Amino acid sequence: MVILTLNCGSSSAKYQVYDWANKDILAVGVVERIGLEYSTIEHKANGKEEYHAEFSSPTHKEAIELIIRMLLDDEYGVIQDLKEIGAVGHRVLHGGEVFKQSALVTDEVIEQLKKVIPLGPLHMPANIMGIEAARKAMPNVPQAIVLDTAWHQTMPDEAFMYAVPYEWYTKYNVRRYGFHGTSHLYCAKRAAVVLGKENKDTNVIICHIGNGASVCAVKNGVCVDTSMGLTPLEGLVMGSRSGDIDPAIIPYMMENTGMSAKEMDTALNKKSGLIGLCGKSDRRDVLKASQEGDLRAKLAIDMECRRLKKYIGGYATLLEGKLDAIVFTAGVGEMARHIRLGSCKGLEAIGAKLDEHKNEVCFSRNGEFVISTDDSPVKILVIPTDEELVMTEDAYALMNGTYDVHTNFHY
Amino acid sequence: MVILTLNCGSSSAKYQVYDWANKDILAVGVVERIGLEYSTIEHKANGKEEYHAEFSSPTHKEAIELIIRMLLDDEYGVIQDLKEIGAVGHRVLHGGEVFKQSALVTDEVIEQLKKVIPLGPLHMPANIMGIEAARKAMPNVPQAIVLDTAWHQTMPDEAFMYAVPYEWYTKYNVRRYGFHGTSHLYCAKRAAVVLGKENKDTNVIICHIGNGASVCAVKNGVCVDTSMGLTPLEGLVMGSRSGDIDPAIIPYMMENTGMSAKEMDTALNKKSGLIGLCGKSDRRDVLKASQEGDLRAKLAIDMECRRLKKYIGGYATLLEGKLDAIVFTAGVGEMARHIRLGSCKGLEAIGAKLDEHKNEVCFSRNGEFVISTDDSPVKILVIPTDEELVMTEDAYALMNGTYDVHTNFHY
Ligand SMILES: Nc1ncnc2c1ncn2[C@@H]1O[C@H](COP(=O)(O)OP(=O)(O)O)[C@@H](O)[C@H]1O
Ligand SMILES: Nc1ncnc2c1ncn2[C@@H]1O[C@H](COP(=O)(O)OP(=O)(O)O)[C@@H](O)[C@H]1O
């Protein structure tokens, strides 16, 4: 039996096929340019050559049919019969306050997801289209949704509420939801394993730093705070997103430039962060520019590290001195040693001491590392994240009737 | 010789007369409703009865003339002759990047202040009117400006820049300025005295919590970070201001409700914070409501404390484990024991242990207290702020030619 996972973006569909019995990835791929004049597919099956092609895929329906054809293909495929697919796991951006964990898709579930569209107007329609197309193409296969927000639903109200007019919450659902939940859940559980502790006794701060980035405070195995909010804009300095700013900057700039609310949203999401500061967002490019004397690139690195360090210190106080470890994950967290170094400078204040040598030699996405000094009261870990694995396992468990809250089972 | 200090708001002018030789306040007062059909004055001279009256004061000019008449008044006055006024100190909201410390007023200084009006459109015109009116009324008296932003000009660029398009800084002066500078300066210096250290060796975190509230990280006696930003909206949960939110909430709410940028600014500055959450902003009222079972009031208290705690933890990492003390000041910081208690819960993570009994018995604005346990590595202090004293001393020193950067002299 295989588990298929699907991640549908506005114009793309990523997929992975996982062999449950052998715990092995059989194929990964992506369809891009969905809805444009021609679409592309990149498909890579284990031990086979990579396959690229152009197709016509006006909607996610054709994309998913195409993916299924590839999986069954004589030359590039990995299964003989659709019946081999035991379950499908769909990545969904937003579950509002309804979904506190992964769930099997029903008509009612889809109705509930549709209600959440205003909270993720760019992603949710694509997520829902993907689910509907997969249900049509595989009507007898159980489908599960795995939500970026679900993990964070354990936050107390003092963490998820904003100090804005109360009716913004009751009427417009304005609250902190948090994102990257699947990754934070994975890392929280792996951290418990690395630390040799039970999930429910583990207190960690997880820094998921990719192009998008968020920090999460985990107390007794569950999320108690996170840096992303109503949307993925809030919090850290990211590749192209501002993270935290004085909110008054928005009306100030709108009044001074005549920018619209939409243009402002775009500026803060796409033209800010590292891009806004120095014109680059890939941390390798920013580092290189900084080393070559580009002062704005240096500023961008300093700001990224400083913001992260402040969040870590802030979250340490929420854990009341019981912090076990700080975890770095995702592209930057796993690979960008200079960002880890800069962010950890000063963390002695909360009992975390980086071993600079261990940090320096750790830049693999294939292993879990401890990069704090042996005598550091708080450990610093690097854990390669694996959101696909969580999606696969949740889809399997839901299909199998063995799904449980994550604090009750181990990887 | 006396020093007069003036604090001109959009429709008010507060004043204080200080006897330099005897280190004594001779009179305080306020003119309100400037520009309305009638204005009021409240005047209180040492050892004399309080005086209330209605006057006509269409502009700050008449208000200041009125204040001078009161000071010279036979019955309620405190001086015989204008010549006794050695200097006037004016509180000014914003000095942009030009003013890094207090300065004597010249024509050029006024021109420079006018350039900063866009950064403080509500306060700066009144501040400037007050200065001009005082110069006219007392042409031979040296006048000094004391700026809310000046103290924060020592922040490094990684602290004062936002991760937004770089030209927002170069073209529109969008950066973190910080406010409450006079209070933070006063508390930093008093903390050094209480700790028995030199200013330049003192590392403290100052929590100025009044109706407006800001935190300041002080490293080696100077400001390295603060929570207020381009405007006083950013940072903590305040009486009526939101502090930090997901910036995306603004375009989201504007799109969903049709609010304008101006209305949004008003909502975040006047209808948010504690008012937005529970309808009250005075901490005594909020506490009472919470004790009577009002869950939103409880939420407001929890959120105020949590936000502050997170800032303190974040700033502790900037001071790299060399934090000497946390200082509470201003109305709430000095008086609201429950806010201090809630904010300090968890600060063991950074080595600060509150003595709950000492905290409970400390609610006077007339003394400096240590409220941490005797064995707490990081002290927790309550220091009643005194912005008027800084204004008085700066005005005196500038007039006298003895003004120096604050790290070089003591209170
Ligand atoms: N070797 C490396 N050194 C430094 N940074 C790296 C390295 N490899 C990847 N990165 C950073 O990781 C980012 C992508 O992170 P990832 O988590 O894969 O992305 P996403 O957030 O898009 O899922 C890249 O933009 C780059 O900045
Ligand atoms: N005894 C008290 N207990 C609790 N809170 C108090 C007490 N006295 C004053 N406060 C709080 O202090 C606030 C005013 O602080 P202050 O620094 O004087 O104000 P501002 O920021 O306007 O200068 C009040 O709104 C109230 O919330």
Side-chain angles (χ1 to χ4, degrees):
Chain A
M1 183 188 56
V2 303
I3 308 292
L4 172 65
T5 52
L6 278 171
N7 183 350
C8 292
S10 55
S11 68
S12 71
K14 291 186 201 147
Y15 60 95
Q16 177 179 295
V17 185
Y18 188 88
D19 178 353
W20 187 260
N22 298 310
K23 303 278 175 248
D24 198 19
I25 297 165
L26 297 181
V28 293
V30 56
V31 179
E32 286 178 304
R33 300 176 50 83
I34 297 171
L36 300 180
E37 72 279 25
Y38 67 92
S39 311
T40 61
I41 185 164
E42 276 178 47
H43 173 87
K44 176 78 183 79
N46 230 346
K48 297 184 182 172
E49 250 173 61
E50 212 167 302
Y51 173 80
H52 292 255
E54 287 178 11
F55 289 86
S56 166
S57 182
T59 73
H60 285 77
K61 184 167 170 291
E62 292 81 8
I64 284 172
E65 288 165 0
L66 173 62
I67 292 170
I68 291 175
R69 279 205 303 282
M70 282 311 304
L71 300 188
L72 292 167
D73 188 84
D74 285 342
E75 201 176 338
Y76 297 99
V78 289
I79 54 174
Q80 316 290 325
D81 193 302
L82 263 193
K83 285 200 191 113
E84 293 175 43
I85 301 181
V88 184
H90 295 270
R91 180 171 187 174
V92 175
L93 175 79
H94 218 303
E97 291 190 307
V98 179
F99 295 103
K100 300 183 195 307
Q101 52 191 64
S102 301
L104 279 177
V105 176
T106 62
D107 291 343
E108 202 205 330
V109 161
I110 291 188
E111 284 317 302
Q112 282 169 324
L113 290 179
K114 283 183 180 162
K115 289 196 193 130
V116 181
I117 291 177
L119 293 172
L122 297 177
H123 292 84
M124 290 303 289
N127 293 164
I128 295 169
M129 261 193 288
I131 298 168
E132 289 183 324
R135 286 182 97 191
K136 278 217 184 83
M138 296 166 276
N140 299 318
V141 181
Q143 319 258 341
I145 51 169
V146 182
L147 308 111
D148 275 10
T149 54
W151 156 260
H152 300 291
Q153 282 291 311
T154 47
M155 282 189 284
D157 57 357
E158 66 200 76
F160 73 66
M161 289 296 289
Y162 291 106
V164 295
Y166 198 84
E167 61 274 17
W168 292 12
Y169 171 58
T170 48
K171 283 197 199 148
Y172 300 98
N173 304 304
V174 170
R175 54 158 282 177
R176 180 182 307 285
Y177 292 98
F179 299 89
H180 293 143
T182 313
S183 175
H184 288 302
L185 177 150
Y186 176 83
C187 290
K189 295 180 66 178
R190 285 305 311 168
V193 174
V194 173
L195 294 165
K197 301 189 81 164
E198 294 289 318
N199 280 317
K200 63 172 183 39
D201 302 326
T202 309
N203 297 303
V204 291
I205 296 168
I206 299 161
C207 311
H208 175 111
I209 325 284
N211 263 316
S214 71
V215 204
C216 180
V218 179
K219 191 171 181 172
N220 299 328
V222 300
C223 170
V224 293
D225 213 338
T226 191
S227 60
M228 283 179 168
L230 174 69
T231 77
L233 177 60
E234 193 178 354
L236 300 173
V237 175
M238 305 179 225
S240 68
R241 292 184 212 139
S242 64
D244 299 326
I245 58 170
D246 184 342
I249 291 173
I250 299 181
Y252 172 84
M253 283 302 292
M254 288 177 70
E255 296 269 316
N256 274 291
T257 65
M259 283 169 92
S260 71
K262 261 219 170 69
E263 287 164 341
M264 184 46 79
D265 203 54
T266 307
L268 293 174
N269 275 292
K270 308 250 184 227
K271 299 178 191 166
S272 294
L274 304 176
I275 290 259
L277 286 166
C278 74
K280 297 168 184 67
S281 72
D282 191 303
R283 305 313 187 283
R284 287 162 289 201
D285 301 338
V286 180
L287 179 62
K288 188 157 173 284
S290 167
Q291 284 167 341
E292 287 167 6
D294 179 336
L295 290 180
R296 288 216 213 152
K298 181 179 180 310
L299 174 64
I301 294 173
D302 291 346
M303 285 176 67
E304 180 176 12
C305 295
R306 186 186 184 93
R307 183 82 55 87
L308 181 55
K309 180 180 0 196
K310 281 162 71 171
Y311 265 98
I312 295 172
Y315 285 174
T317 67
L318 299 183
L319 302 175
E320 295 171 7
K322 300 195 195 88
L323 177 61
D324 296 310
I326 296 157
V327 179
F328 285 92
T329 194
V332 180
E334 295 161 28
M335 304 290 281
R337 301 164 282 180
H338 65 294
I339 299 295
R340 291 195 307 248
L341 179 68
S343 313
C344 288
K345 191 157 177 273
L347 293 192
E348 308 82 42
I350 56 163
K353 298 187 230 170
L354 187 75
D355 182 318
E356 294 200 14
H357 175 70
K358 286 185 190 158
N359 178 56
E360 198 55 35
V361 296
C362 165
F363 52 102
S364 150
R365 306 197 71 161
N366 294 318
E368 291 164 343
F369 295 93
V370 181
I371 58 169
S372 44
T373 60
D374 292 343
D375 67 347
S376 178
V378 173
K379 304 289 166 220
I380 308 175
L381 312 178
V382 177
I383 295 183
T385 194
D386 197 341
E387 296 165 273
E388 304 296 326
L389 185 60
V390 176
M391 288 167 66
T392 300
E393 296 198 327
D394 280 10
Y396 175 86
L398 281 162
M399 172 269 286
N400 198 41
T402 49
Y403 185 74
D404 198 352
V405 290
H406 71 277
T407 36
N408 286 350
F409 69 97
H410 287 283
Y411 281 100
Chain B
M1 183 187 56
V2 303
I3 308 292
L4 172 64
T5 52
L6 279 170
N7 184 350
C8 292
S10 55
S11 67
S12 70
K14 291 186 201 148
Y15 59 95
Q16 178 179 292
V17 185
Y18 189 88
D19 177 353
W20 187 260
N22 298 310
K23 304 277 175 249
D24 198 19
I25 297 166
L26 297 183
V28 294
V30 57
V31 180
E32 287 178 304
R33 300 177 50 85
I34 297 172
L36 300 181
E37 70 280 25
Y38 67 92
S39 310
T40 61
I41 185 163
E42 277 178 47
H43 173 87
K44 176 78 182 80
N46 230 345
K48 297 183 182 172
E49 251 174 59
E50 214 167 300
Y51 175 80
H52 293 254
E54 288 179 9
F55 289 86
S56 165
S57 182
T59 73
H60 284 77
K61 184 167 171 292
E62 292 80 11
I64 284 172
E65 288 166 357
L66 173 63
I67 292 170
I68 291 175
R69 278 205 304 281
M70 283 309 305
L71 300 187
L72 291 166
D73 188 84
D74 285 342
E75 202 175 335
Y76 296 99
V78 290
I79 54 173
Q80 316 292 327
D81 194 302
L82 263 192
K83 286 199 189 113
E84 293 174 42
I85 301 181
V88 184
H90 295 269
R91 181 170 187 175
V92 175
L93 175 80
H94 219 303
E97 291 190 308
V98 179
F99 295 103
K100 299 182 195 307
Q101 52 191 63
S102 301
L104 278 177
V105 175
T106 62
D107 291 344
E108 203 206 330
V109 161
I110 292 187
E111 284 317 303
Q112 282 169 324
L113 289 179
K114 283 183 179 161
K115 290 196 192 128
V116 181
I117 290 176
L119 293 172
L122 296 178
H123 292 84
M124 291 302 289
N127 293 163
I128 294 169
M129 260 193 288
I131 299 169
E132 289 184 325
R135 285 182 99 193
K136 278 216 186 82
M138 296 166 276
N140 299 317
V141 181
Q143 318 257 340
I145 51 170
V146 182
L147 307 111
D148 275 10
T149 54
W151 156 260
H152 299 292
Q153 282 291 310
T154 48
M155 281 189 283
D157 57 357
E158 67 200 77
F160 74 67
M161 289 297 289
Y162 291 107
V164 295
Y166 198 83
E167 61 274 16
W168 292 12
Y169 171 56
T170 49
K171 282 197 200 148
Y172 300 98
N173 305 303
V174 170
R175 54 158 283 179
R176 179 182 308 284
Y177 292 98
F179 298 89
H180 293 143
T182 314
S183 175
H184 288 303
L185 177 149
Y186 177 83
C187 291
K189 295 181 66 179
R190 284 306 311 169
V193 174
V194 173
L195 294 165
K197 300 189 82 165
E198 295 290 317
N199 280 316
K200 64 172 181 39
D201 302 326
T202 309
N203 297 303
V204 291
I205 296 169
I206 300 160
C207 311
H208 175 112
I209 324 285
N211 263 317
S214 71
V215 204
C216 180
V218 179
K219 191 171 181 173
N220 299 328
V222 301
C223 168
V224 293
D225 213 338
T226 191
S227 60
M228 284 180 167
L230 173 70
T231 77
L233 178 61
E234 192 179 355
L236 300 173
V237 175
M238 306 180 225
S240 68
R241 294 184 210 138
S242 66
D244 300 326
I245 58 171
D246 183 342
I249 291 173
I250 300 181
Y252 173 85
M253 284 301 293
M254 288 176 69
E255 296 270 316
N256 274 291
T257 64
M259 283 169 92
S260 71
K262 260 218 171 69
E263 287 165 341
M264 186 44 82
D265 203 54
T266 306
L268 293 174
N269 274 292
K270 309 250 184 225
K271 299 178 192 164
S272 295
L274 303 177
I275 290 259
L277 287 166
C278 72
K280 297 169 184 66
S281 72
D282 191 302
R283 306 312 187 284
R284 288 161 289 199
D285 301 338
V286 179
L287 178 63
K288 187 156 174 284
S290 167
Q291 285 167 340
E292 288 166 7
D294 179 337
L295 291 179
R296 289 216 212 150
K298 181 180 180 308
L299 174 65
I301 294 173
D302 291 346
M303 286 176 67
E304 180 176 13
C305 295
R306 187 184 182 96
R307 183 82 55 86
L308 182 55
K309 180 179 3 197
K310 281 163 72 171
Y311 265 98
I312 295 172
Y315 285 173
T317 67
L318 300 182
L319 303 176
E320 295 171 6
K322 300 194 195 88
L323 177 61
D324 297 310
I326 297 157
V327 179
F328 286 92
T329 194
V332 181
E334 295 161 29
M335 304 290 283
R337 301 164 282 179
H338 65 293
I339 298 295
R340 292 195 306 249
L341 179 68
S343 313
C344 289
K345 190 155 178 275
L347 293 192
E348 308 82 43
I350 56 163
K353 298 188 229 168
L354 187 75
D355 182 318
E356 294 200 15
H357 175 70
K358 286 186 191 159
N359 178 57
E360 198 54 34
V361 295
C362 165
F363 53 101
S364 150
R365 306 197 70 161
N366 293 317
E368 292 164 342
F369 295 93
V370 180
I371 57 169
S372 44
T373 61
D374 291 343
D375 67 346
S376 178
V378 172
K379 303 290 165 222
I380 308 174
L381 312 178
V382 176
I383 295 184
T385 194
D386 196 341
E387 297 166 274
E388 304 296 325
L389 185 60
V390 176
M391 288 168 67
T392 300
E393 297 199 327
D394 280 10
Y396 175 86
L398 281 162
M399 172 269 286
N400 198 41
T402 49
Y403 184 74
D404 197 352
V405 292
H406 72 277
T407 36
N408 286 350
F409 69 97
H410 287 283
Y411 281 100

